Amino acid sequence: MDQIFENTATAFALKTDSELERAYFLFKMISNEPLVKMGSVITNFAFKAHLPVESLIKATVFDHFCGGVNERDCLPVVDRMWEKGVSSVLDYSVEGKEEEDPFDTATEIILTILDFVKEKDAIPYAVFKPTGFGRFALYQKISEKKELTTKEEAEWQRVVNRFDKVCKKAHDLEVSLLIDGEESWMQDAADDLAEEMMRKYNKKKRIVFNTLQTYRWDRLPYLKALHERAVKDGFFVGMKVVRGAYMEKENDRAQEMGYTSPICKTKQETDDNFNATIAYMVDNLDVLSIFSGTHNEESCYRLMELMEEKGIAKNNDHIWFGQLYGMSDHISYNLAAHGYNVAKYLPFGPVRDVMPYLIRRADENTSVAGQTSRELSLLKKERKRRKM
């Protein structure tokens, strides 16, 4: 298969010269791990001390990795990407709240986004994080099969109701809804709830999608068992397949608490697990739908090859490729130019509230070997092509 991801003219067609320079500057910064760690500490301190850093962050990191402070803000970005055949997934990226009000607010925002999805062909999916709808510790307690207090049972029912409210609306509007994956020690409760929603709302169409983090060695057996239940009980399964975002945290906790880490021992094992999961899903498209969320070029080529081998159309609605806004444009825009279904996760939210997400993005970029240097080399190539 031709090396389509080398085409930087297509990859960066939407970037002005100044946006290209900003991207180059940001990835240069991100490539310096001590600088990222120091920047994270300083940024957190600046926000806590109410220093006026918001406009600086908005003009640099925020504008590169986020679509705006609210969903309407994102629409110009959505429309620009759609001109190049790249869809958007509006992602309300406010993390780590503990109170009920933000959970209700997040639910209302997702309900609004579902209307956007219905209205705009450019937005094929909505998405939410389980901890956007309920406390992390509550998911954890249920995952550990601990008894809930009466108060916690009522709290959990509210979480279930939030899930049901958004999944029902997605079903009624006939639009798809992605549920993000989180840390392994709270994930069982989220998985069970996602399956409950699939059983209820995926009877006729693939509406509800859960997430498989394939850096966990137990995820393919989990998918196979879920697939069996889906065949037996008559519902469809949608899955976003990713490698995973919490590796260091997962390994540190396993070591600290003395249990076997749920994470694959090597990068190669994770790659193999991701590719095996995708291959299994391609073999079972009658029941399964794939949202392949990856910045790994080899995995994208592998899925393209599988589709070609099996005579699956590039625009088959049960296979989507996904990347994050601000990253891997060489993958997204070149795939779209060749006729594949591609969507960019487009985070949004108030600058202050989105900071945990942005810091995690920067940390991930420094810890993924080769990711940042690849971005930099392509940006350099495009700057040279433009004679900048």
Side-chain angles (χ1 to χ4, degrees):
M1 194 168 279
D2 294 338
Q3 298 299 297
I4 68 167
F5 301 143
E6 297 302 322
N7 185 333
T8 60
T10 299
F12 302 117
L14 289 180
K15 285 203 183 327
T16 62
D17 287 357
S18 62
E19 286 170 337
L20 198 71
E21 282 296 283
R22 183 184 65 189
Y24 184 68
F25 167 75
L26 281 173
F27 280 108
K28 273 284 234 205
M29 299 278 282
I30 288 168
S31 67
N32 186 324
E33 194 169 347
L35 198 63
V36 169
K37 297 220 180 301
M38 190 169 69
S40 302
V41 172
I42 291 167
T43 306
N44 280 328
F45 169 77
F47 273 121
K48 281 176 184 157
H50 302 289
L51 298 176
V53 293
E54 209 156 306
S55 55
L56 173 66
I57 288 164
K58 176 138 189 3
T60 53
V61 186
F62 183 90
D63 277 355
H64 182 81
F65 289 108
C66 298
V69 295
N70 57 46
E71 59 273 26
R72 295 225 161 261
D73 242 11
C74 295
L75 291 179
V77 182
V78 169
D79 290 338
R80 275 179 80 204
M81 292 201 292
W82 183 237
E83 282 171 24
K84 299 293 180 186
V86 174
S87 302
S88 299
V89 180
L90 292 186
D91 181 14
Y92 180 59
S93 294
V94 174
E95 301 184 356
K97 299 292 185 184
E98 292 293 323
E99 315 83 28
E100 289 289 300
D101 284 352
F103 299 144
D104 289 331
T105 302
T107 306
E108 291 309 313
I109 287 169
I110 305 307
L111 291 168
T112 304
I113 290 169
L114 284 166
D115 289 323
F116 270 74
V117 176
K118 184 65 178 173
E119 292 307 311
K120 285 190 86 73
D121 289 341
I123 311 175
Y125 293 90
V127 63
F128 70 92
K129 278 173 78 81
T131 50
F133 287 3
R135 277 188 312 120
F136 186 100
L138 186 62
Y139 286 99
Q140 183 179 344
K141 195 168 181 181
I142 291 165
S143 296
E144 290 169 350
K145 301 199 169 15
K146 291 180 178 169
E147 199 173 333
L148 301 184
T149 64
T150 307
K151 190 180 172 190
E152 285 169 338
E153 277 177 3
E155 186 187 352
W156 180 246
Q157 191 54 53
R158 288 195 294 276
V159 176
V160 174
N161 292 345
R162 290 181 192 116
F163 265 71
D164 194 68
K165 198 173 182 181
V166 297
C167 291
K168 182 181 188 304
K169 181 163 184 178
H171 170 268
D172 292 349
L173 293 175
E174 295 192 346
V175 299
S176 295
L177 181 63
L178 301 162
I179 303 172
D180 277 344
E182 301 193 54
E183 288 89 340
S184 63
W185 57 98
M186 62 71 70
Q187 190 62 46
D188 284 357
D191 284 344
D192 289 348
L193 197 41
E195 181 175 340
E196 194 182 314
M197 296 299 122
M198 285 184 200
R199 286 173 177 277
K200 202 166 175 181
Y201 297 116
N202 285 13
K203 289 284 188 193
K204 291 187 178 151
K205 291 185 81 173
R206 296 101 192 282
I207 300 290
V208 179
F209 282 63
N210 197 8
T211 297
L212 283 176
Q213 299 187 93
T214 59
Y215 66 178
R216 284 180 58 178
W217 45 261
D218 65 346
R219 293 295 81 186
L220 184 50
Y222 163 79
L223 174 65
K224 287 177 176 176
L226 176 62
H227 178 213
E228 271 180 36
R229 293 194 293 275
V231 170
K232 179 170 157 284
D233 298 337
F235 63 95
F236 293 107
V237 172
M239 277 292 175
K240 179 173 67 141
V241 186
V242 299
R243 278 167 171 77
Y246 307 96
M247 186 171 76
E248 284 167 18
K249 200 193 274 191
E250 291 278 1
N251 284 331
D252 289 348
R253 186 177 189 268
Q255 193 171 0
E256 197 180 299
M257 298 183 71
Y259 61 85
T260 303
S261 173
I263 305 301
C264 293
K265 285 189 171 67
T266 64
K267 167 80 165 60
Q268 189 59 53
E269 277 180 35
T270 297
D271 290 345
D272 293 346
N273 203 24
F274 182 97
N275 293 338
T277 302
I278 292 289
Y280 179 82
M281 293 186 75
V282 169
D283 281 342
N284 293 285
L285 283 184
D286 56 331
V287 175
L288 308 178
S289 278
I290 306 165
F291 186 100
S292 176
T294 182
H295 295 205
N296 184 293
E297 293 170 31
E298 280 183 32
S299 290
C300 291
Y301 281 130
R302 184 73 199 111
L303 178 49
M304 291 154 73
E305 282 162 7
L306 285 171
M307 291 171 75
E308 199 176 312
E309 282 165 20
K310 293 181 179 297
I312 298 167
K314 289 178 179 179
N315 64 349
N316 182 298
D317 203 38
H318 300 316
I319 300 179
W320 279 76
F321 293 81
Q323 287 80 41
L324 297 164
Y325 183 69
M327 291 167 64
S328 298
D329 287 348
H330 64 295
I331 295 178
S332 310
Y333 290 96
N334 282 306
L335 279 171
H338 282 77
Y340 293 93
N341 295 323
V342 187
K344 285 277 206 192
Y345 253 57
L346 188 59
F348 72 94
V351 177
R352 179 181 295 271
D353 290 341
V354 172
M355 276 319 294
Y357 167 86
L358 290 172
I359 287 167
R360 196 152 58 77
R361 276 289 83 81
D363 284 343
E364 272 174 47
N365 270 290
T366 52
S367 65
V368 176
Q371 176 76 48
T372 305
S373 59
R374 177 69 168 140
E375 296 274 3
L376 276 169
S377 73
L378 290 160
L379 288 161
K380 263 185 204 164
K381 185 177 168 184
E382 179 61 11
R383 285 164 88 227
K384 191 175 174 185
R385 192 190 71 81
R386 293 188 192 187
K387 301 182 171 60
M388 286 168 66

